[in-house]
Amino acid sequence: MSDFLPELRRRRTFAIIAHPDAGKTTLTEKLLLFGGAIQTAGAVKSNKINRATVSDFMEIERQRGISVSTSVMGFEYRNLQINILDTPGHEDFAEDTYRTLTAVDSAIVVIDAAKGVETQTEKLTQVCRMRTTPIIFFINKLDREGLDPFDLLDDIEKKLSVKVCPLSWPIGMGQRFQGVYSLYERRLVLFQPHGRQESDKSVVFNTLQDPALANHLGEKAAQQLREDVETIEVVYPPFERAAYLRGDICPVFFGSAINNFGVRELLDCFVDIAPPPLPRQAEERMVYPEEDKFSGFVFKIFANMDPRHRDRIAFLRICSGRFERNKSYRHVRLQRDMKFSSPTSFMASKKTILEEAYPGDVIGLYDSGNFKIGDTLTEGEVLHFKGIPSFSPEQFRYVENADPLKQKQFAKGLEQLMDEGVAQLFIRQSDGRRIVGTVGLLQLEVLQYRLESEYGAKCRYEPISLYKACWISSDDPKALQEFLERRKRDIARDRHGNWVFLAETAWILQTVRENFPKIRFRFTSDT
Ligand code: G4P
């Protein structure tokens, strides 16, 4: 039996995801305050770049030290080790968020009560659903006028194709907001603007028929609450932890992060129900966290924090076993053993060198260019963890070297920045031209800026009219060969050598799919 089981069971690793401005940074900060990981509000630097320009990005680059340390935030709460993985707010960096979601065991999705489900929420929740990651919703900003709570629940169920189960319920909203009734704890929690945990006023009500309810809320609001809760009990399924862990139902909480309201209820329930580190599927087999042998994968790389040294930090999620400093581990892709003398942990906002780490933990490994996203470390076994997909980009450009004297720097910079996941690179087979694909325009600027500032190379973009890049495969090698021949001009390879079809328009893609039924077209590289 593994001797680290108690440590393993103490871990809860999750991400908070949201459409920009819903309140992710604020909620993260309040959770850290409860955990004692920070002392004052404002300590978590928002890494969002909502009104994004490249100069905002450059500013963020300058503050990279900060963004690295807020990428993973650990704290202790009720004897659990909680690891929050931060996700970039800006949609142009959605791919970074998708990858981070492969490293968590559950997610909290923040929704703005006035806006309901927004586009980013939809996309990110889809990724969670693909992986059946358990989700809890936090509906934020109840101190402002928002949509009717039942309408919000309908919106979530319809747009996100999930079943919800409210575990708290708001009493009024905006000016009339009086607090929430926790259905999970059968407690009435009264709203106090800018409340602190000590001063939260809460009263246990096992039954809402208790006439004393009106003393706290007034007769009208008390009656409304009784009716709402009756409706909830009829319409929504009762909470069942197993169903939540399977991803079949998603608990919903209401609150106001900025006022620190409803956050404690969320956190207390989270620590009761959220899953400890879960098994991870590798191509070869399922890997269980309690296995004796260590394994983990890299899901994020921060490169070139100091331009004078080509240093990088690879973020590794531990999947099984115990990680130890200075022990030799196998880099599966390079088939090479490596030791790490200064692996870092990300407790609170300071980095410290760690001696040991356990499944669920995320550690930072200093690296001089050996890691790519998706790489695996083990104690010798050949394992490839699944589910670190590339997503079909939406913006495409030809990328050319603009300074013939810097060809080497250009090639190296392009390769390293692709390793880091800044963009995707496709090589068209008919003419060998390089095409970069990104989710948003900002990444193109970032690529250009970083090539120049970190590698001294200049790149030039040229327009190309493309609708989508899809990964193609077929169970019938002949059919695939025929397709590759027939559509020669639209075929490229990605950096791993996979075949990609470059569709110029949605119509072409549709026609091709109809004409070549034996070919599978995929919008992620990993399904
Ligand atoms: P994000 O990370 O999801 O992008 O959101 P963030 O926490 O930065 O919050 C976005 C804005 O919403 C911030 O206002 C924040 O103060 C506000 N906010 C967060 N929670 C609540 C809440 O419960 N109620 C209300 N009324 N507002 C909330 P801002 O004006 O953009 O920034 P700031 O100047 O306040 O920092």
Side-chain angles (χ1 to χ4, degrees):
M1 188 63 92
S2 321
D3 60 349
F4 58 85
L5 271 186
E7 283 299 333
L8 160 67
R9 291 191 180 129
R10 256 167 37 81
R11 263 58 186 176
R12 299 289 182 278
T13 302
F14 74 106
I16 304 183
I17 54 182
H19 191 89
D21 267 347
K24 178 171 66 73
T25 311
T26 313
L27 179 64
T28 308
E29 186 165 286
K30 301 299 176 190
L31 292 174
L32 293 179
L33 278 170
F34 278 121
I38 53 170
Q39 305 309 323
T40 51
V44 180
K45 272 270 178 289
S46 163
N47 69 357
K48 66 181 171 160
I49 33 179
N50 289 337
R51 291 154 282 279
T53 62
V54 86
S55 63
D56 290 337
F57 178 81
M58 281 147 59
E59 185 47 41
I60 284 178
E61 283 295 287
R62 251 174 254 128
Q63 298 176 358
R64 248 171 190 239
I66 298 168
S67 34
V68 168
S69 55
T70 58
S71 287
V72 182
M73 288 160 283
F75 66 94
E76 297 231 352
Y77 186 73
R78 286 185 16 198
N79 200 31
L80 293 181
Q81 165 68 39
I82 303 198
N83 300 316
I84 307 182
L85 272 53
D86 193 23
T87 53
H90 193 276
E91 62 178 317
D92 282 9
F93 293 97
E95 205 163 344
D96 208 35
T97 304
Y98 299 153
R99 287 191 290 254
T100 298
L101 290 177
T102 64
V104 301
D105 299 301
S106 68
I108 293 181
V109 179
V110 185
I111 290 180
D112 183 331
K115 303 215 171 114
V117 173
E118 296 173 85
T119 47
Q120 273 305 98
T121 334
E122 240 171 286
K123 286 192 192 165
L124 297 171
T125 315
Q126 249 172 29
V127 177
C128 291
R129 305 273 306 146
M130 254 162 66
R131 310 174 44 80
T132 56
T133 305
I135 299 172
I136 297 178
F137 288 98
F138 182 75
I139 300 187
N140 191 27
K141 308 198 186 181
L142 266 288
D143 58 318
R144 286 205 193 146
E145 286 305 324
L147 304 170
D148 174 82
F150 282 110
D151 290 345
L152 280 163
L153 296 184
D154 277 356
D155 194 41
I156 295 176
E157 289 203 329
K158 282 206 188 92
K159 289 202 184 124
L160 305 179
S161 320
V162 295
K163 287 233 159 317
V164 297
C165 165
L167 288 187
S168 81
W169 194 252
I171 301 148
M173 216 178 241
Q175 297 275 335
R176 294 164 294 104
F177 184 50
Q178 296 207 57
V180 293
Y181 179 64
S182 163
L183 294 140
Y184 185 65
E185 296 170 278
R186 303 256 151 218
R187 258 183 342 125
L188 179 71
V189 191
L190 294 168
F191 178 58
Q192 291 171 314
H194 304 288
R196 298 271 322 165
Q197 67 200 89
E198 307 75 62
S199 60
D200 270 358
K201 203 173 152 207
S202 74
V203 194
V204 174
F205 275 98
N206 283 317
T207 163
L208 290 177
Q209 300 316 321
D210 189 333
L213 188 66
N215 300 342
H216 296 284
L217 301 177
E219 194 51 61
K220 204 169 152 215
Q223 194 48 34
Q224 181 70 48
L225 177 64
R226 289 186 189 110
E227 284 170 22
D228 286 352
V229 170
E230 258 173 44
T231 312
I232 290 167
E233 282 167 356
V234 173
V235 175
Y236 297 102
F239 175 70
E240 220 191 286
R241 185 171 181 234
Y244 154 72
L245 294 177
R246 284 195 306 270
D248 289 347
I249 58 163
C250 305
V252 181
F253 286 83
F254 291 83
S256 167
I258 196 103
N259 288 296
N260 209 0
F261 187 78
V263 179
R264 185 182 196 79
E265 287 65 38
L266 172 73
L267 181 59
D268 280 339
C269 177
F270 173 85
V271 298
D272 281 352
I273 68 171
L278 297 173
R280 288 256 167 333
Q281 184 71 51
E283 273 167 32
E284 293 76 8
R285 64 181 183 87
M286 191 67 118
V287 176
Y288 293 89
E290 55 277 11
E291 291 177 18
D292 277 330
K293 295 249 160 63
F294 158 79
S295 69
F297 67 88
V298 172
F299 64 94
K300 184 185 186 106
I301 293 174
F302 260 112
N304 303 342
M305 279 161 302
D306 179 348
R308 285 163 304 173
H309 311 107
R310 291 242 172 273
D311 62 338
R312 308 171 161 209
I313 292 189
F315 288 71
L316 180 118
R317 147 97 197 200
I318 300 180
C319 299
S320 66
R322 181 204 308 263
F323 174 90
E324 289 170 60
R325 186 165 86 92
N326 277 330
K327 193 169 165 179
S328 183
Y329 293 116
R330 187 80 171 161
H331 188 309
V332 172
R333 181 175 54 83
L334 298 182
Q335 303 182 358
R336 192 157 79 182
D337 293 332
M338 296 171 90
K339 278 185 187 171
F340 302 92
S341 61
S342 43
T344 49
S345 80
F346 301 93
M347 281 298 281
S349 46
K350 61 177 191 298
K351 286 184 287 171
T352 42
I353 297 203
L354 55 83
E355 294 297 327
E356 294 186 335
Y358 306 95
D361 284 343
V362 170
I363 58 175
L365 301 176
Y366 283 95
D367 165 44
S368 50
N370 290 315
F371 285 116
K372 286 186 188 184
I373 284 168
D375 276 346
T376 305
L377 284 184
T378 68
E379 289 193 31
E381 187 178 353
V382 174
L383 288 175
H384 297 91
F385 286 98
K386 281 184 138 181
I388 311 215
S390 296
F391 290 81
S392 177
E394 284 157 32
Q395 300 288 339
F396 299 91
R397 297 284 186 281
Y398 288 117
V399 57
E400 303 286 353
N401 177 24
D403 180 350
L405 296 176
K406 299 281 170 64
Q407 175 58 30
K408 245 169 102 179
Q409 288 86 333
F410 171 75
K412 181 169 178 190
L414 203 56
E415 175 158 347
Q416 291 205 347
L417 293 173
M418 296 300 142
D419 285 352
E420 213 190 306
V422 173
Q424 295 181 50
L425 189 69
F426 305 103
I427 312 270
R428 196 161 59 189
Q429 295 301 286
S430 54
D431 55 7
R433 288 194 81 175
R434 293 186 178 98
I435 297 166
V436 283
T438 60
V439 175
L441 288 173
L442 184 63
Q443 280 159 290
L444 289 171
E445 290 182 56
V446 166
L447 179 63
Q448 195 162 32
Y449 166 76
R450 291 190 57 189
L451 272 175
E452 188 155 357
S453 66
E454 292 165 28
Y455 297 89
K458 282 200 167 64
C459 80
R460 188 178 67 234
Y461 293 125
E462 287 175 20
I464 173 170
S465 155
L466 277 185
Y467 162 68
K468 277 247 157 31
C470 326
W471 283 268
I472 47 176
S473 59
S474 174
D475 295 330
D476 180 347
K478 254 177 82 186
L480 182 63
Q481 206 47 48
E482 191 201 334
F483 180 75
L484 294 174
E485 274 300 314
R486 293 263 301 271
R487 304 295 312 192
K488 216 185 230 157
R489 290 190 43 235
D490 308 316
I491 301 295
R493 282 198 197 252
D494 72 6
R495 296 179 62 241
H496 308 290
N498 301 313
W499 292 115
V500 173
F501 174 67
L502 305 171
E504 250 175 74
T505 63
W507 183 82
I508 292 181
L509 181 59
Q510 197 197 337
T511 322
V512 161
R513 286 177 107 159
E514 283 164 15
N515 293 347
F516 295 91
K518 287 189 176 163
I519 307 291
R520 266 193 305 275
F521 294 81
R522 289 163 304 140
F523 295 98
T524 69
S525 66
D526 185 65
T527 39

